[in-house]
Amino acid sequence: MAEIIDIGREHSQALARGCQVLESAEPVAIPTETVYGLAADATNPQAIARIYEVKGRPRFNPLIAHMSDLAMAERHAVFDPLSRKLAEAFWPGPLTLVLPLHADSTIHPLCTAGLDTVGVRVPQGFAGELIAAFGHPLAAPSANTSGRVSPTDAGHVQGDLGDKIRLILDGGPAGVGVESTILKIEGDTVRLLRPGGLAVRAIEACIGRKIIRQDKAAQTAIEAPGMLASHYAPRADVRLDRLHVEPGEILVNFGNQPIAGLDDAIAIFDLSPQASLSEAAANLFSIMKMADQLPARAIAFAPIPHHDLGEAINDRIARAAAPRPEVSYED
């Protein structure tokens, strides 16, 4: 199993050991404010290939390049005034900007899936420190088997990938709990590619204009992580916006809503009994992980508001519910 280092207790050792494993072209599981990431050198094709190998990730799905600060990001992506304003307002934080790749960038095409754009983000806390100490951007998709539930603590990573990676840096539970919001800047137009941990309302207030939401029906290309129709999928089927739970199902409630058929549920969870969207976002993947371990015929989610962080929560649940290819699972 992977070595686990508690960052709070052994901060210096975590930095040194993290850099050592990264320099060997191996991925390291790291905490971010959103979810735990499977980080590797974004400039090294062997390191990026190991991410794909560990995750079983489709090669056409690009990876976000995580930076230590705006200065590092500007060496790899071309910022216009609007994108720079967003970066200065929300970095470090749960915002990814898809921007033109800088001509002098050393980020490898395996990270960008061959696109002429790159998704860049500056994470909060220890992840930014590690990137600064390592000196290169880190490609860091969520630290889980591709298409499965994203991890929000070190135990999730150990349970899923512990036999495939060498090191997990434990920073405690992720504070945000869903992945970053992804925007693509095209002139004066800002498109939402993926809702996430930064609410659209806050972004629109910052830039003084409406964000264009992605038309999923018209989507023809993968421009950023998390855009696959089926994603974040547990083993059981997922049902959305349910006010009735069927026999043999798990209920995931929100705000302690009245739900019919509770006596028939094999388990009941509540993302936030107080109906807090931020608490629900932080709990979403942990509860999906717990539900995924139970022998349910389906997981029924109660209705969740679509405003602010609710947009990201509903997006993740909808992707979990989408039709997906047959997958063989090992016990």
Side-chain angles (χ1 to χ4, degrees), residues 179-180 194-196 232 284-285 312-320:
E179 293 89 342
S180 61
R194 181 183 74 184
Y232 316 103
L284 175 62
F285 289 136
I313 296 167
N314 279 286
D315 174 81
R316 301 309 187 275
I317 298 170
R319 292 180 190 276

Side-chain angles (χ1 to χ4, degrees), residues 268-293:
I268 300 171
F269 302 96
D270 199 314
L271 292 171
S272 173
Q274 291 74 39
S276 163
L277 289 172
S278 60
E279 182 182 25
N283 289 335
L284 175 62
F285 289 136
S286 292
I287 286 177
M288 288 177 70
K289 283 276 188 183
M290 289 187 285
D292 203 21
Q293 301 306 310

Side-chain angles (χ1 to χ4, degrees), residues 217-229:
Q219 180 181 314
T220 59
I222 301 297
E223 299 181 81
M227 291 181 69
L228 291 173

Side-chain angles (χ1 to χ4, degrees), residues 214-279:
Q214 187 76 10
D215 183 351
K216 294 179 181 178
Q219 180 181 314
T220 59
I222 301 297
E223 299 181 81
M227 291 181 69
L228 291 173
S230 174
H231 208 55
Y232 316 103
R235 291 172 174 83
D237 290 338
V238 174
R239 301 197 305 131
L240 290 72
D241 297 322
R242 300 297 170 175
L243 292 172
H244 184 277
V245 62
E246 301 290 342
E249 291 187 333
I250 293 169
L251 171 68
V252 180
N253 207 344
F254 174 78
N256 197 29
Q257 297 176 74
I259 304 293
L262 289 180
D263 291 343
D264 293 324
I266 67 170
I268 300 171
F269 302 96
D270 199 314
L271 292 171
S272 173
Q274 291 74 39
S276 163
L277 289 172
S278 60
E279 182 182 25

Side-chain angles (χ1 to χ4, degrees), residues 130-265:
L130 179 63
I131 297 164
F134 183 58
H136 297 290
L138 294 181
S142 55
N144 56 279
T145 302
S146 186
R148 312 317 293 170
V149 180
S150 298
T152 52
D153 65 40
H156 295 163
V157 183
Q158 183 76 290
D160 187 2
L161 302 179
D163 59 347
K164 297 180 180 179
I165 60 176
R166 289 162 50 183
L167 180 63
I168 300 170
L169 300 178
D170 185 358
V176 175
V178 293
E179 293 89 342
S180 61
T181 300
I182 302 180
L183 302 178
K184 187 171 185 180
I185 315 298
E186 299 170 310
D188 292 332
T189 300
V190 182
R191 282 199 296 129
L192 180 68
L193 300 188
R194 181 183 74 184
L198 179 61
V200 168
R201 183 182 302 180
I203 300 168
E204 291 177 335
C206 172
I207 61 177
R209 69 188 71 191
K210 287 290 186 182
I211 291 175
I212 298 173
R213 283 167 165 77
Q214 187 76 10
D215 183 351
K216 294 179 181 178
Q219 180 181 314
T220 59
I222 301 297
E223 299 181 81
M227 291 181 69
L228 291 173
S230 174
H231 208 55
Y232 316 103
R235 291 172 174 83
D237 290 338
V238 174
R239 301 197 305 131
L240 290 72
D241 297 322
R242 300 297 170 175
L243 292 172
H244 184 277
V245 62
E246 301 290 342
E249 291 187 333
I250 293 169
L251 171 68
V252 180
N253 207 344
F254 174 78
N256 197 29
Q257 297 176 74
I259 304 293
L262 289 180
D263 291 343
D264 293 324

